[in-house]
Amino acid sequence: MTAMKRDISALGSKTYDVVIVGGGMFGACAAWEAASRGLSAAVVDKGDFCHATSANHFKMVHGGIRYLQHADVVRIRESSRERSALLRIAPHLVRPLPIVIPTYGHGMKGKEILGAGIMLYDMLTMDRNRGIVKDRNIPPSRFLSRHEVLALFPGIKEKQLTGGALFYDGQMYNPPRLVLSFLKSAISHGADAGNYLKVTGFLREKNRITGVKVTDMLDNTEIKIRANMVLNASGPWAHQLLQQALGKGLDPCPTYSRDLAFVVKRKFSSDIGVAFSTYTKDSDTLIDRGGRHLFAVPWRQFTLIGVWHVVFEKTPENITVGEDELQCFVDEVNSACPGLDIHLSEIQLINTGLTLFGDKDSQGSQQMSFGKRSEIVDHSRTDQIDGLVTLLGVRTTTARGMAQKTVDMIFEKLGKSFVASETQSTPIHGGHMHSFQKLLDDAMGKRPAGATPEIMTALVHNHGCDYPNVLKYVNKNSQWGYGAGETTVLQAEIIHGIREEMAQKLSDIVFRRTDIGTGENPGAAVECCAELMADEMGWGPDKTRDEINEVKQCFPHFYRTMKTGHAL
């Protein structure tokens, strides 16, 4: 059992091998990588863990098939390797996802070209299932007939349709829970962590960074955390942090894409996703199949639709999506795949975050280049400042692998005896199992009287083999064995998130410790959650209402006004 306790004084009482700034996917993986290899580590975030881009993306674990169009074999191999690692070490939170690419005619969009591509892809990823539990294996690709494709997706464009290619990628059940699993694994190996701790500056002795200055955003106290190395893994805030703390940022200044996807509460297909070409060109492919691909994929009881990429030139705090812009995206989807027939009022939740993606294309449009890779910046070489490394991550799929490379560098800089990484094969918190289905069957046998099968399924997905640690709270209060409102979340999960997972705010529970608000506006369930949290945290009525109002603002305003029957 690994409990996350927020102990700020402990962070200021020791000197760490490395302190990690940023508690998203890359920072959490780095903490696990460092702690598992014997380094003393601490990780801090100015908000909650996984509160930004690492939570708000398309939830795909990419195996690299897209890079065939770019003839980028290196990235195909890297992506497939890291997808396999996540399926191996977190089988409760990552699963294979079948996706169909419809084929048209006999040219670039036909079976002949696509067939050659997916055969090559399967060959390049032949080792993809090594060490993975059987019910998480990635099957080989195959072709579907025209009749099979129309049966699966009756609303797709039929003119010249010849069938489709079915391949498999990976999908995350709950990205924040994946980040928490990495953090819990790090903590179980001695790491410390703190949320709502904003780094306001670096500790410095001449040309060496010796730690960070931190402000507790909950009570405005300040502490100093000392470390032999500082890893800046703060994502879109990395450049800003360096400017504020050092007076110099990254050179060149990174360009970010604002990625956007949205959630609708209906299934276009029961368990298979579809890729469809739009009228927007992909500006940098070597093999052009017509237009950029968008995806509609099943996720829980919802459909995820995206992803759109546009250049983002504002500060990370100002990331927004206008209603008119969203309507343009909906129109593009409906034009490419009329059967979806999406309406703006159906959008339950908007997922948007910033990704290091590349530069504007040669025509100066707002489309992005896909050529950008994750980067590790050694500031002793770029700025003649020792003790500081910056990790700029691109895709969450590759976070573990980039963390491994970064910690390799930190070992070298610390002058410590090298310890090999085992994170590619070591299950993270909740991931120890021989079969996900068997674990789920066992959990059903322990189902509390108030829990539906859907609640137990979600519980096992989110907590894996650690689900009994949540159920123990039902023994303390039988009411906690019932769901929160109409959601698939046990009230015991709310209590567990507060007592054992460092939740400080209502939004931490609603969006990151549980499934309550991760797919749709949960209505009255937020009130139930707020009542439980107020009791645990000692909140008064005014504080509780403020927390509820903060959660409200995270849902689309047109959803709140047009669907008042379900509004908070």
Side-chain angles (χ1 to χ4, degrees), residues 74-100:
V74 172
R75 293 185 84 178
I76 292 172
R77 291 292 300 157
E78 177 191 29
S79 298
S80 177
R81 182 175 63 250
E82 293 305 324
R83 180 186 63 186
S84 295
L86 289 173
L87 287 164
R88 189 181 304 119
I89 67 179
H92 55 310
L93 287 162
V94 182
R95 71 176 185 106
L97 175 68
I99 300 174
V100 171

Side-chain angles (χ1 to χ4, degrees), residues 2-253:
T2 301
M4 300 171 64
K5 300 297 183 182
R6 192 173 186 270
D7 187 352
I8 307 308
S9 61
L11 287 166
S13 65
K14 62 184 79 170
T15 299
Y16 296 93
D17 289 320
V18 57
V19 61
I20 299 158
V21 183
M25 186 66 167
F26 283 82
C29 285
W32 167 226
E33 187 70 37
S36 67
R37 295 165 70 175
L39 298 181
S40 59
V43 56
V44 296
D45 197 294
K46 71 185 187 70
D48 191 25
F49 305 117
C50 198
H51 73 280
T53 299
S54 292
N56 296 295
H57 53 73
F58 200 54
K59 299 164 182 61
M60 293 286 284
V61 181
H62 297 279
I65 194 169
R66 191 204 183 286
Y67 301 128
L68 279 175
Q69 289 181 274
H70 304 262
D72 196 338
V73 175
V74 172
R75 293 185 84 178
I76 292 172
R77 291 292 300 157
E78 177 191 29
S79 298
S80 177
R81 182 175 63 250
E82 293 305 324
R83 180 186 63 186
S84 295
L86 289 173
L87 287 164
R88 189 181 304 119
I89 67 179
H92 55 310
L93 287 162
V94 182
R95 71 176 185 106
L97 175 68
I99 300 174
V100 171
I101 304 176
T103 56
Y104 293 89
H106 299 283
M108 292 302 295
K109 294 184 179 182
K111 282 188 176 181
E112 297 83 1
I113 297 295
L114 188 57
I118 65 171
M119 285 179 61
L120 175 60
Y121 176 73
D122 280 353
M123 290 176 60
L124 290 170
T125 61
M126 286 182 65
D127 58 350
R128 59 188 176 272
N129 291 320
R130 186 175 298 164
I132 298 173
V133 296
K134 190 173 182 180
D135 55 10
R136 289 296 183 261
N137 276 194
I138 297 287
S141 305
R142 61 186 178 91
F143 278 104
L144 303 179
S145 68
R146 173 186 167 90
H147 175 75
E148 288 174 309
V149 173
L150 288 174
L152 286 170
F153 311 107
I156 69 169
K157 290 183 177 180
E158 296 186 38
K159 185 178 180 180
Q160 292 190 299
L161 178 70
T162 58
L166 187 150
F167 74 97
Y168 287 78
D169 229 331
Q171 185 183 62
M172 299 179 192
Y173 181 85
N174 188 327
R177 293 294 329 171
L178 184 59
V179 168
L180 287 168
S181 288
F182 276 108
L183 283 173
K184 285 188 166 188
S185 296
I187 290 168
S188 71
H189 279 65
D192 294 323
N195 53 358
Y196 297 101
L197 297 176
K198 182 178 181 178
V199 173
T200 57
F202 294 140
L203 304 179
R204 186 169 179 176
E205 295 178 4
K206 296 182 180 180
N207 287 331
R208 182 168 192 84
I209 303 300
T210 59
V212 292
K213 301 173 185 177
V214 169
T215 297
D216 188 337
M217 303 301 289
L218 301 180
D219 64 11
N220 287 322
T221 59
E222 296 182 353
I223 63 169
K224 295 178 180 179
I225 305 176
R226 292 172 175 81
N228 296 316
M229 290 291 301
V230 172
L231 171 58
N232 176 17
S234 53
W237 288 272
H239 177 74
Q240 186 182 100
L241 173 62
L242 293 170
Q243 283 186 317
Q244 293 174 352
L246 290 180
K248 59 176 73 176
L250 296 164
D251 186 17
C253 178

Side-chain angles (χ1 to χ4, degrees), residues 355-376:
T355 302
L356 182 71
F357 222 41
D359 304 313
K360 295 181 184 180
D361 65 22
S362 58
Q363 284 74 44
S365 77
Q366 292 298 297
Q367 298 306 312
M368 302 297 296
S369 164
F370 280 78
K372 201 69 174 179
R373 289 172 164 81
S374 296
E375 298 178 20
I376 304 171

